[in-house]
Amino acid sequence: MFEGGVVVVGDVTKPDEVDRVFGEAVDALGRLDLLFNNAGRGSRGKPIDEMPLEDWFGVLDVNLTGSVLCARAAFAQMRKQEPQGGRIINNGSISAHAPRPGSTPYTVTKHAITGLTKCIALDGRPFSITCGQIDIGNAETEMAAVIGKGVPQAHGEIRPEPMMNVDDVARSVVHMAELPLDANVLFMTVMASNMPFVGRG
């Protein structure tokens, strides 16, 4: 834990727990200046008609409902505190622009995060609340480890893809977070340079 920090554990899919987590954090720290909306999960790659509904609801609950609940709690605190304001950074994805085969739940939620980002950025203007989104492609994390081993491509082949160090993502988030509230990175894409994104499909 960093100096002066506090760790509060909760389930982002449960409104009461989200309210408790934000309440405990503000009680400990006095105010809220930054939310990095980072909770997320994926699902097994399947075409939509083979997609288990538990995968759909599970991804929707974490990736979208969880992000909305956390943004809602953060926005409320940032609006009422003095001095007013703060920054929300949503974790999007390359999938917010171009899907992978069989990724309906994940891709749909990441497209929705883009809409959430735009709504908060607009609605936050009168209250000095900024909102931006970082779209990440092929960072070396536990969740994305399979990509480096081989994933389905649009033409049906399974191929490993280039990966990047997750520290580069962290530096990008820190850059967004450290800007003054009169400046905002609305959207940033950080990705492994040679991953098949621009040429995907």
Side-chain angles (χ1 to χ4, degrees):
M1 178 174 26
F2 60 90
E3 185 177 347
V6 59
V7 175
V8 185
V9 178
D11 185 337
V12 298
T13 69
K14 294 183 168 62
D16 291 345
E17 288 210 28
V18 170
D19 290 342
R20 176 187 56 78
V21 165
F22 277 82
E24 289 183 23
V26 172
D27 286 346
L29 301 173
R31 60 180 286 116
L32 179 67
D33 293 303
L34 175 69
L35 166 66
F36 181 37
N37 233 344
N38 189 45
R41 58 159 286 190
S43 63
R44 297 161 283 182
K46 300 276 185 183
I48 191 168
D49 62 323
E50 297 176 18
M51 172 189 73
L53 288 179
E54 59 266 25
D55 285 358
W56 166 253
F57 289 113
V59 174
L60 187 68
D61 281 351
V62 175
N63 292 11
L64 185 55
T65 300
S67 293
V68 168
L69 292 176
C70 289
R72 180 176 182 269
F75 195 102
Q77 174 59 34
M78 291 171 178
R79 183 176 178 179
K80 72 183 180 184
Q81 64 194 9
E82 293 293 339
Q84 199 173 52
R87 185 180 305 277
I88 296 169
I89 301 173
N90 291 322
N91 189 348
S93 172
I94 292 287
S95 291
H97 306 277
R100 292 186 179 282
S103 66
T104 297
Y106 186 79
T107 295
V108 168
T109 59
K110 292 305 182 178
H111 274 73
I113 292 297
T114 298
L116 175 66
T117 298
K118 291 177 180 179
C119 286
I120 296 169
L122 177 60
D123 292 345
R125 288 177 183 174
F127 314 110
S128 296
I129 299 170
T130 66
C131 186
Q133 177 172 321
I134 184 162
D135 294 324
I136 302 164
N138 291 11
E140 290 179 314
T141 64
E142 185 177 327
M143 181 175 166
V146 66
I147 295 170
K149 297 175 183 174
V151 288
Q153 305 297 309
H155 61 302
E157 288 184 20
I158 306 255
R159 289 187 181 172
E161 294 185 5
M163 305 293 287
M164 67 174 169
N165 192 309
V166 72
D167 290 347
D168 296 321
V169 177
R171 280 192 289 273
S172 300
V173 173
V174 168
H175 168 70
M176 295 172 74
E178 288 182 338
L179 289 172
L181 292 179
D182 59 357
N184 187 37
V185 175
L186 185 61
F187 294 100
M188 176 190 288
T189 300
V190 57
M191 54 181 269
S193 299
N194 294 331
M195 69 170 288
F197 170 50
V198 175
R200 189 185 289 185

